[in-house]
Amino acid sequence: MTRYHYIDGVKIALTDEEEAVVVAEEQAWADGQADRDLAALRAERDRLLAETDYYGNSDVTLPTAMKTYRQELRDITKTATSLEDVNWPTKP
């Protein structure tokens, strides 16, 4: 597949060296997909945990169901690798 770039409005085919750079950049991006997926999963998990952080106050008794829910959220990255394959626990 021939790739092109534009210089001063003129379509020019990439050299072999330029093509190699583009291919390497695309591969690096693809290789990082799992890390980006896991980061998105952790961000959503952290948001859900933050919603229940008030239970951690010393004047609030943490119900067993909430303890279980929070632990399941913390454990979510042991089984899920992206937002598409996660089974979120139900908030009590």
Side-chain angles (χ1 to χ4, degrees):
M1 169 173 77
T2 303
R3 297 179 195 226
Y4 300 91
H5 59 153
Y6 290 88
I7 298 177
D8 295 329
V10 178
K11 183 178 178 182
I12 300 173
L14 295 177
T15 65
D16 290 341
E17 293 81 16
E18 291 169 329
E19 178 73 23
V21 168
V22 169
V23 168
E25 288 173 347
E26 289 174 347
Q27 187 61 51
W29 176 256
D31 290 347
Q33 186 63 52
D35 291 336
R36 290 189 302 279
D37 288 347
L38 195 53
L41 175 65
R42 286 184 175 133
E44 178 62 12
R45 184 237 6 232
D46 292 348
R47 185 190 69 76
L48 292 170
L49 280 168
E51 288 180 354
T52 61
D53 278 350
Y54 66 91
Y55 279 105
N57 293 336
S58 61
D59 61 340
V60 177
T61 302
L62 189 62
T64 301
M66 187 56 69
K67 284 181 188 177
T68 301
Y69 171 71
R70 289 178 56 83
Q71 186 60 53
E72 288 173 351
L73 285 174
R74 286 190 294 275
D75 292 343
I76 207 83
T77 56
K78 292 179 181 177
T79 56
T81 57
S82 73
L83 290 173
E84 287 77 35
D85 71 352
V86 66
N87 291 316
W88 295 105
T90 303
K91 185 177 178 181

